[in-house]
Amino acid sequence: MSLALDPAAQDLLFREARTANTFTDEPVTEEQIQAIYDLVKYGPTAFNQSPLRVILVRSDDARARLVAHMAEGNQAKTSTAPLVAILAADNEFHEELPALLPHFPQAKDAFFSERPVRESAATLNAALQAAYFIIGVRAAGLAAGPMTGLDAAGIEKEFLDGDHSLLMVINIGKPGEDAWFPRLPRLAYDEVIKTV
């Protein structure tokens, strides 16, 4: 059985999409980021909790402060990417639940009154949204370079408050020269999918 999605779109989003390591200097506009968000906001999360928060690093000062917390191998590409996004989980997402889950506003207190429960839920669901965000970047014809090689505590101190936990940093832009490392292998269907 074939997929409903056009093969060219499948390639754009998955088969030909790669983590970019170099970028052109073509800017990433606010309109592009708005279009990405307006698409990926529909991706599902448990209780529609939507805990992902994104900080767009556009100023030179903020970029320098961020680069100082990146692993050495990620500093140059983070310095030169047209746009860098810090993705975080909002551990107080439950405050938005009455608006996001209007048919069950009591979920805020019934399920998420305890901070450890919220942190676990926020991390899982914001990670789902981060994956949607990467696919959205690709859908916009841009490349994403997600990174976790960084000083998370340093970035949290520099850019976040105690209610937010860092997930990753993503470089965004049009891929530049020699942007791709060789494609790495993937597990076979029967190594991943089991029927019981």
Side-chain angles (χ1 to χ4, degrees):
M1 176 179 193
S2 63
L3 300 172
L5 191 64
D6 177 88
Q10 296 173 38
D11 287 344
L12 177 71
L13 299 178
F14 294 100
R15 284 192 289 266
E16 299 298 325
R18 308 283 285 285
T19 294
N21 293 287
T22 67
F23 297 89
T24 70
D25 58 2
E26 183 178 329
V28 176
T29 67
E30 192 66 32
E31 292 76 17
Q32 287 172 302
I33 296 298
Q34 180 73 51
I36 291 166
Y37 177 71
D38 285 343
L39 175 66
V40 304
K41 68 184 179 185
Y42 295 108
T45 57
F47 290 95
N48 198 33
Q49 59 191 250
S50 307
L52 181 69
R53 303 294 179 265
V54 180
I55 298 171
L56 300 177
V57 180
R58 290 198 182 272
S59 74
D60 292 340
D61 173 66
R63 179 80 61 117
R65 290 186 289 127
L66 176 62
V67 167
H69 296 290
M70 300 302 294
E72 185 177 345
N74 291 330
Q75 289 181 345
K77 57 189 170 185
T78 304
S79 294
T80 58
L83 181 62
V84 182
I86 299 170
L87 275 60
D90 181 358
N91 296 309
E92 297 298 315
F93 69 86
H94 69 306
E95 296 296 342
E96 305 293 337
L97 283 181
L100 293 173
L101 202 64
H103 65 281
F104 187 31
Q106 61 270 36
K108 172 184 181 256
D109 298 314
F111 296 105
F112 301 109
S113 62
E114 302 290 327
R115 176 72 181 230
V117 172
R118 287 197 307 275
E119 287 179 356
S120 177
T123 298
L124 172 62
N125 287 279
L128 279 173
Q129 290 186 285
Y132 304 146
F133 185 82
I134 292 167
I135 299 301
V137 168
R138 293 171 175 178
L142 302 170
M147 300 167 290
T148 56
L150 43 77
D151 171 12
I155 293 173
E156 286 178 350
K157 183 177 179 183
E158 193 78 40
F159 292 95
L160 304 174
D161 60 31
D163 291 333
H164 295 78
S165 301
L166 180 71
L167 295 172
M168 66 187 70
V169 171
I170 301 180
N171 293 326
I172 303 169
K174 292 281 187 183
E177 189 174 335
D178 298 320
W180 321 117
F181 293 145
R183 170 75 78 190
L184 294 172
R186 298 298 192 265
L187 294 173
Y189 177 89
D190 61 358
E191 294 176 293
V192 176
I193 308 295
K194 303 294 181 195
T195 302
V196 295

